Amino acid sequence: MTIRELLTCAQIRFDPNQLIDHDINKIAIHSKTIEKGDVFVAIRGSTHDGHDYIEEAIGRGCGTILYEDPYYSLTPMTGVNAIRVPDTKKALALLSRWFYGNPGQDLTVVGVTGTNGKTTITTIIHRLHRLLNEPSTLIGTNGIYLNDEYVPTVNTTPNALTLYQTFRQSVDRGIKRVAIEVSSHAIKEQRVSQIDFHGMIYTNFSHDHLDYHVTVDDYFYNKALSFAYLGNQYNEKFALFNGDDEYAKRFYEVSQVRNYTYGLKEQNDFRALNAVCSLDRLAFDLSIFGQPYGRFETNNLFGFYNLYNLLAALSYFFLEGYDLDRIRPLVPLIPQVRGRFEKVKTPYPIDVIIDFAHTPKGVYNLLQEVKLITNQPIITVIGCGGDRDRAKRPLIGKIVTSLSDFAIFTDDNPRDERSDKILDEIVKGAVNNHFLTIPDRREAIQFAVRFAKKGDLVLILGKGHETTQEIGGVTYPFDDYEEAKRSIEQRFMEE
């Protein structure tokens, strides 16, 4: 493909008389990857501005530059196109879509958005497709899965280049269905603006990412945009809402396609009845539009919030035309979701659970649900990330000390902030003195495991699936699950 063809397909304005046409090697947003014939798109990020690397990209031989900064002055250089656009993030999505041949038109893409639950729902959908022996792609926090091939990612929703490259690979492998987590960052940064979603699932909405969005209204607005992306046609597209969530009605009003709800309350289209939730089992009777569809159960997913997640996934399959009698025997085969209420499996008599809950509402809901399904004393290990929303720190301190029998506050990616400062802000919210601060997360986990008595439940919250710890600009390997497993084994080997 030539640059003239690509700009024309993407409907990006250019001067046809001034354009130097050239074959495109690839599209790039990192100057150090530039090769001859590449298109470099200058993206403003949270820590770096692509406009600062334009000269380097030119020096490496790129054929075309797309930029947006009206104050940036390009050094004249023969043989390089310089095209200014209003928004390089949107331009990147447009260019990526057409450079990879508009692969989305051959895919059925479902998005899942909301504060909590995105990873679990998309993973359940993907796992069930695979258990049905159907090709499927999963894109989200825990990485990209092309069928069963894993590709690591950095963001919950990757940049547009990665998304469309993944779509292209999916089509080339005969994959027709894609489940993708849609984060508020991705919406605001135009990563998903060109995706033709077939359906969108809403989980819940709560206080989060205000370090990025600044206000709750901005956070809500960007979440709501995901439903605007569905268009305004009453066709086969659908929006599926957690009808029990207090914000659902506001999101419901934004959608202009067919709307459905799931939950426990009577007004929902998809409803779970006679639910049983414990640390060993999840089961419920499914009702759809008031008609019974049998009982579903599993020993790998736990808690009421996972009841909602499983219910959302089953609702999705029904709306996509699947016979749920085919799905029922597969539900028990769905494995634990990495870092989402994940039991640490060892032969020793101690219950330790890893979860990603890190928002006030997410932590509150998890602790409340744990108290509903077990009367075990709760020891909670948790921290708050550095260089992120500071307002939630005392809220976390209040919630954890209120609902846990004992709390251990520790590091959770302090980044460039001082650990003691973060911990002090968490402790300000504490409502009792049943807690310790142990900055080193490894030591905190080891202490919790050793401190736990027979019958106690240890919850390690905040990092979930993550396998690194960022401290002072350095990223270290760190995995809560592996650290907990190692601590359990050490304790019982010594006893």
Side-chain angles (χ1 to χ4, degrees), residues 21-296:
D21 207 11
H22 65 87
D23 290 331
I24 300 172
N25 177 43
K26 68 176 183 292
I27 302 169
I29 58 175
H30 300 295
S31 58
K32 294 192 182 304
T33 68
I34 291 291
E35 299 173 315
K36 185 177 181 180
D38 286 355
V39 176
F40 178 68
V41 185
I43 301 291
R44 282 196 179 96
S46 58
T47 57
H48 300 284
D49 186 345
H51 293 81
D52 296 335
Y53 299 91
I54 287 177
E55 298 298 338
E56 181 180 358
I58 292 173
R60 289 177 175 270
C62 75
T64 298
I65 301 285
L66 271 75
Y67 70 105
E68 68 178 57
D69 192 340
Y71 301 105
Y72 188 87
S73 177
L74 281 173
T75 302
M77 183 170 288
T78 304
V80 179
N81 298 308
I83 301 171
R84 184 183 162 203
V85 295
D87 186 340
T88 52
K89 291 173 181 175
K90 184 173 183 178
L92 178 66
L94 286 164
L95 292 174
S96 301
R97 174 183 178 183
W98 293 104
F99 180 73
Y100 287 106
N102 195 21
Q105 66 183 341
D106 298 316
L107 297 168
T108 300
V109 183
V110 62
V112 181
T113 195
T115 305
N116 302 300
K118 299 186 294 295
T119 300
T120 301
I121 293 173
T122 52
T123 301
I124 291 173
I125 289 172
H126 174 69
R127 294 296 185 190
L128 284 173
H129 278 304
R130 298 301 295 136
L131 288 167
L132 288 165
N133 293 317
E134 295 180 352
S136 172
T137 292
L138 168 64
I139 303 173
T141 305
N142 284 0
I144 294 172
Y145 286 86
L146 290 154
N147 289 324
D148 303 316
E149 179 186 338
Y150 169 69
V151 180
T153 56
V154 176
N155 299 313
T156 295
T157 311
N159 63 56
L161 267 175
T162 301
L163 285 174
Y164 279 98
Q165 183 181 46
T166 302
F167 287 174
R168 179 75 266 159
Q169 292 172 333
S170 299
V171 172
D172 292 345
R173 297 183 187 202
I175 296 171
K176 297 296 184 183
R177 293 191 177 274
V178 177
I180 177 173
E181 293 185 51
V182 181
S183 69
S184 58
H185 291 66
I187 296 166
K188 189 166 186 175
E189 295 186 356
Q190 302 278 349
R191 299 177 204 165
V192 296
S193 63
Q194 299 303 306
I195 297 176
D196 184 18
F197 288 99
H198 179 66
M200 188 67 65
I201 301 172
Y202 164 77
T203 63
N204 47 63
F205 181 82
S206 66
H207 182 117
D208 196 18
H209 301 306
L210 296 192
D211 56 297
Y212 177 78
H213 291 285
V214 181
T215 67
V216 173
D217 285 343
D218 185 69
Y219 182 39
F220 173 85
Y221 168 77
N222 281 279
K223 286 292 186 187
L225 273 179
S226 60
F227 295 97
Y229 289 153
L230 291 171
N232 58 2
Q233 299 298 316
Y234 288 92
N235 49 26
E236 294 180 354
K237 292 189 174 186
F238 67 87
L240 177 63
F241 299 88
N242 174 357
D244 294 350
D245 184 76
E246 60 182 315
Y247 283 89
K249 189 175 185 297
R250 291 182 63 186
F251 286 98
Y252 192 95
E253 292 169 348
V254 174
S255 169
Q256 300 301 311
V257 297
R258 295 186 185 276
N259 294 332
Y260 302 91
T261 62
Y262 66 93
L264 304 184
K265 297 179 181 178
E266 187 176 358
Q267 75 272 14
N268 290 297
D269 300 313
F270 300 88
R271 190 180 176 202
L273 302 167
N274 306 315
V276 175
C277 293
S278 71
L279 288 179
D280 302 305
R281 180 171 173 244
L282 172 62
F284 59 88
D285 295 324
L286 177 62
S287 171
I288 303 178
F289 306 125
Q291 299 299 313
Y293 268 77
R295 194 158 182 82
F296 292 79

